[in-house]
Amino acid sequence: MSVSPSPRRLARQDSKPLQKGQQTKAAIVDAALGLATQIGLEGLSIGALAEVMQMSKSGVFAHFGSREELQISVVREYHTRFEEEVFYPAMSFPRGLPRLRALFDNWMKRTSVEIDSGCIYISGAVEFDDRPGPVRDALAGSVNTWLSAMHRAIDIAVEEGHLRPDTDAAQMGFEIHALILALHYEARFLRSPQSLKRAVVAFDGIVSRYSPPSQADHPSVRRRSSKTA
């Protein structure tokens, strides 16, 4: 199924061409993001990035001023791409459960791509969980923004009657988030070949538990389970 470009992507396409300095900075951030997915945010250094970009250290430093600002720029770029690939495409789906499913599907697709690289949100949480500061704040802020969007999608599904009125969006969101974390662990670390199928079945189980009795056995709730059985 084709999906229209996200509003953020369209805005980028319609905007005026970047100035040379902006283009250089964007290229540096892109290269830094590629490195960070492989070696983590802590592995980033001005020197390593200068080597990749074939620039002087002072040239790279001039665009950021500090290693910390470089790391924060990488977090912001990762979040932008996450929104473009996961959040915005899902907004074209009908309100309620179809949109919530689309959010999960997109999230899972991105997770499957990151099996061979890595997720900045997950690796960053390991690196900065006990290290307060601007980088940790940027990471936590990005993750909380995404989780808030997920909670809102759950609330809308309740409003549409697709989920029970007593559904706790924070609890259901926690379970979906935990499922994605388990998928990363199973797929990336344990290399389980069945991890993606198990994630789909687990998501259907979560939805079924929060669905009204009249919809719990509806074919749309069980459609993926039957396909992956």
Side-chain angles (χ1 to χ4, degrees), residues 104 108 112 179 183 187 192-205 224-225 227-229:
F104 176 76
M108 192 171 64
S112 65
L179 174 55
L183 173 57
S192 171
Q194 299 298 316
S195 56
L196 289 174
K197 288 184 178 180
R198 293 188 189 283
V200 170
V201 172
F203 178 79
D204 284 337
R224 287 210 206 88
S225 296
K227 289 181 181 180
T228 58

Side-chain angles (χ1 to χ4, degrees), residues 8 41 71-72 74-80 82-83 120-122 124-125 128-129 131-151 177:
R8 182 75 63 89
L41 287 168
Q71 292 171 321
I72 292 173
V74 168
V75 171
R76 290 171 178 164
E77 178 63 20
Y78 182 84
H79 182 72
T80 295
F82 188 94
E83 286 184 324
I120 294 295
Y121 288 160
I122 294 177
F128 292 91
D129 59 346
R131 297 177 56 187
V135 179
R136 186 187 189 284
D137 291 344
L139 277 166
S142 295
V143 173
N144 282 326
T145 295
W146 163 239
L147 294 180
S148 293
M150 177 68 70
H151 296 167
H177 191 197

Side-chain angles (χ1 to χ4, degrees), residues 42 46 55 65 103 111 143 191 201 204 227:
E42 269 299 276
I46 298 294
M55 295 175 60
L103 285 171
T111 298
V143 173
R191 300 291 179 178
V201 172
D204 284 337
K227 289 181 181 180

Side-chain angles (χ1 to χ4, degrees), residues 35-51:
L35 281 176
T37 58
Q38 297 290 337
I39 62 178
L41 287 168
E42 269 299 276
L44 287 178
S45 70
I46 298 294
L49 201 50
E51 184 175 345

Side-chain angles (χ1 to χ4, degrees), residues 17-29 55 59-60 62-64:
L18 295 176
Q19 298 296 322
K20 184 176 180 180
Q22 294 174 313
Q23 290 178 340
T24 301
K25 183 174 182 178
I28 294 173
V29 171
M55 295 175 60
V60 174
H63 287 282
F64 300 96

Side-chain angles (χ1 to χ4, degrees), residues 97 100 154 157-158 161-165 167 172 207 210-212 215:
L97 191 54
L100 180 61
I154 294 170
V158 172
H162 300 161
L163 298 175
R164 296 198 318 265
T167 297
M172 186 177 184
V207 170
Y210 285 97
S211 295
Q215 295 189 26

